[in-house]
Every structure is written in structure tokens, then in C-alpha cells.
Amino acid sequence: MRIALGSDHAGYPLKEHLSTWLAESGHAVYDLGTHSAEPVDYPDYAAAVAQAVLDGRADRGVLICGSGAGAAVAANKLQGIRASIAHDTYTAHQMVEHDDVNVLSLGSRVIGESLAEELVTTFLEARFSREDRHVRRLEKIRSMEA
């Protein structure tokens, strides 16, 4: 799978770990930065990851900031992106199965490397259910975007 990966300075160490781990797991990783622990603005990296998903350069996106919240909020400003924070495996799969989430946001100050790997794996393996009730709700979200 093609994964767009991005973080701010708070998420940089975890992003670096996940980038290596994802590549070793056979995924094509598009590391969109940041590339150091120097302070940066998370919206810039959230936009880059979200745009890569929208453009089709990536199948899914993974964002990392301190809490996961800011990056998710920023990514959700791009029409067609459904980003959510997940810090547990239930949310990591349910958000895709029910809400067709295409960008996972993680908080590097909330979780560690091992849990991050588990959450990313769960997120990447999940598929949208296409059940009528979920399709109907997703259409309502799309109409809100318009």
C-alpha cells in the first residue's frame, strides 16, 4: 500500500520510526516531512499528506503531532479527507469500516512506538463496510462539505 506520512516536530521521532517500519513491512512510504525536530507548523504537513491522498499518490495517510488533534483538524479542512485520531485498535478499524476514514492521526505524546505500529496496521487492514447505513451517513457528510 502507498502511505503518505507526515508530522510536525513533536511527531518527528515517531514518524521516523514508522517510516522505517512501514517500508520494512513492504509499503511504499511517501515521507512528506518534517525532517527534523525543529519547530514547524502542523497544518503544513497535514495539508501535504491530505493532498497526497486526494491526488491518488497515496492510498492512505498517517499524521503525527503531539496529541493527534491538531493534525486531524487541519487535514479535515480538505474536501474529501476524513481524518481521525485513534489511540486504540477498536477506533483504528471502526473509523474505516463505518466512516471510510482515509487519514489516521496519532499523538506522539500519547502513545509509543509499539502501539503506533499496532494502530497503523489495524488502520491499513481495515476496509469500508459499504453497508447502506454507513454509505447514507457518508453521503450526508459529503453534502455538508459541498
Side-chain angles (χ1 to χ4, degrees), residues 6-7 41-51 63 70-76 78 103:
S7 73
D41 298 330
Y42 63 82
D44 298 333
Y45 301 94
V49 167
Q51 196 61 57
L63 290 168
V73 168
N76 277 317
L78 280 79
V103 175

Side-chain angles (χ1 to χ4, degrees), residues 4-77:
L5 186 61
S7 73
D8 68 359
H9 54 283
Y12 171 72
L14 183 56
K15 180 190 66 76
E16 291 297 293
H17 171 79
L18 290 175
S19 179
T20 300
W21 172 77
L22 283 164
E24 289 173 353
S25 299
H27 297 284
V29 178
Y30 301 103
D31 185 341
L32 299 170
T34 192
H35 300 291
S36 78
E38 293 297 314
V40 295
D41 298 330
Y42 63 82
D44 298 333
Y45 301 94
V49 167
Q51 196 61 57
V53 171
L54 291 172
D55 291 348
R57 290 177 283 142
D59 301 305
R60 300 253 177 107
V62 176
L63 290 168
I64 309 153
C65 67
S67 68
V73 168
N76 277 317
K77 297 301 178 187

Side-chain angles (χ1 to χ4, degrees), residues 96-108:
V96 176
E97 294 165 356
H98 290 194
D99 306 310
D100 201 19
V101 165
N102 50 17
V103 175
L104 168 65
S105 190
L106 301 172
S108 64

Side-chain angles (χ1 to χ4, degrees), residues 60-61 92 95-96 101-104 119-126:
R60 300 253 177 107
M95 65 189 201
V96 176
V101 165
N102 50 17
V103 175
L104 168 65
L119 296 172
V120 169
T121 298
T122 301
F123 169 69
L124 296 179
E125 290 177 352

